[in-house]
Amino acid sequence: MTLLDDFLIRAALAGIGLALAAAPLGCFVVWRRMAYFGDATAHASILGVALALAFDVSVFGGVLVTALAMATTVSTLSGRGYAMDTLLGVLAHTALALGLVAVSFLHWVRIDLMSYLFGDILAVGHMDLAVIWSGATATLALLVWRWSALLTSTLNPDLAHAAGIDPRREQLILTLALAVVVAVAIKVVGVLLIAAMLIVPAATARAFANTPERMALIAAAVGVLSVIVGLRVSFVGDTPTGPTIVTVAAGCFMVASLIRGLFDHRHLRSHKEDS
């Protein structure tokens, strides 16, 4: 029996792979205020699952193509008179509804819809693990390669133009990375919780980071910690694993917010006493 034959170890490795990719990407989602954009891309993945099963192709491929199509559609329509939140709301819920309707027609395929909605990390196999880590590695490599350009276009588009950086191209690169993470995350935490794994660790890290790079590293650490603790709590308490991981991440965010609030209060009081 090899090390990877233990389902808990496979689950932990899958969750860690997702956390390492989602955390730095989630920082850009937070900085650009794209939370709903990530949610819309995740919702569209159910339609990708349905299409992949209908045409008997890879679920990862189907989800990736659908997520990219959703992201491209949003980017194309966003500058044509539509309010972004309205556009995302319409497209996200339409794609999710179409996916659920399409799944209902697949009578010849046995589908555990709950595993796609909330994830089934404990059922991750060797091939799933290879796909997750391949996607995570590709996403990290893309972010490292374009980090400076992405950061510049995020903080100041005018400065990016002056430096010869095309903000729309960087937006497209970020969209591609987001689609890949959604495709690999569906097995781990499911459609409804993907956005949480992108946003919550990054939001937690924001309370302690004073540089973008430090925020990305802290977010990755929070994500990995949430996976490990969430798996343990789920195993001991017999709770759904994906939601438990997200709950632990939310707990980290609340603790971080409390610590930050206490620190700011003490700093303010000390400043008043000094003056």
Side-chain angles (χ1 to χ4, degrees):
M1 186 171 73
T2 65
L3 182 65
L4 291 182
D5 284 335
D6 190 326
F7 75 98
L8 278 178
I9 292 177
R10 290 199 305 272
L13 288 174
I16 290 170
L18 171 62
L20 291 177
L25 183 60
C27 291
F28 283 103
V29 171
V30 170
W31 292 330
R32 288 174 174 250
R33 299 180 180 178
M34 291 171 59
Y36 208 3
F37 184 87
D39 211 27
T41 307
H43 278 57
S45 60
I46 276 290
L47 181 57
V49 170
L51 293 174
L53 294 174
F55 292 101
D56 195 24
V57 297
S58 163
V59 170
F60 172 80
V63 170
L64 181 59
V65 170
T66 309
L68 280 172
M70 166 64 83
T72 303
T73 301
V74 171
S75 298
T76 302
L77 295 178
S78 60
R80 300 191 176 183
Y82 297 94
M84 180 60 79
D85 58 343
T86 303
L87 180 64
L88 287 172
V90 170
L91 291 177
H93 294 99
T94 299
L96 180 60
L98 283 174
L100 294 174
V101 170
V103 165
S104 70
F105 286 108
L106 303 179
H107 302 297
W108 64 94
V109 181
R110 293 189 62 183
I111 306 170
D112 181 8
L113 196 57
M114 293 296 286
S115 69
Y116 289 112
L117 291 175
F118 297 103
D120 192 7
I121 190 173
L122 298 181
V124 167
H126 294 164
M127 185 57 68
D128 296 319
L129 203 54
V131 169
I132 289 168
W133 272 93
S134 296
T137 302
T139 301
L140 281 173
L142 187 63
L143 289 177
V144 169
W145 174 45
R146 303 301 302 172
W147 179 266
S148 179
L150 280 168
L151 196 58
T152 303
S153 62
T154 296
L155 298 177
N156 193 327
D158 293 333
L159 180 61
H161 276 298
I165 299 169
D166 183 0
R168 291 189 66 84
R169 181 188 62 198
E170 303 308 318
Q171 171 75 21
L172 186 61
I173 290 172
L174 202 59
T175 296
L176 174 62
L178 185 61
V180 172
V181 167
V182 167
V184 301
I186 192 168
K187 186 75 175 183
V188 180
V189 291
V191 170
L192 300 181
L193 302 175
I194 291 172
M197 285 304 291
L198 283 166
I199 298 164
V200 178
T204 304
R206 199 173 195 174
F208 302 109
N210 53 11
T211 66
E213 292 78 13
R214 184 171 294 178
M215 180 170 165
L217 290 174
I218 295 175
V222 171
V224 170
L225 178 66
S226 301
V227 167
I228 295 172
V229 175
L231 275 171
R232 178 64 180 170
V233 172
S234 172
F235 184 74
V236 172
D238 193 25
T239 56
T241 310
T244 303
I245 290 172
V246 173
T247 300
V248 171
C252 291
F253 172 74
M254 288 187 286
V255 170
S257 298
L258 180 62
I259 293 173
R260 183 67 185 181
L262 290 174
F263 176 81
D264 288 344
H265 177 71
R266 288 181 178 179
H267 181 73
L268 180 62
R269 189 171 64 180
S270 175
H271 179 72
K272 286 182 177 179
E273 289 175 353
D274 291 340
S275 59

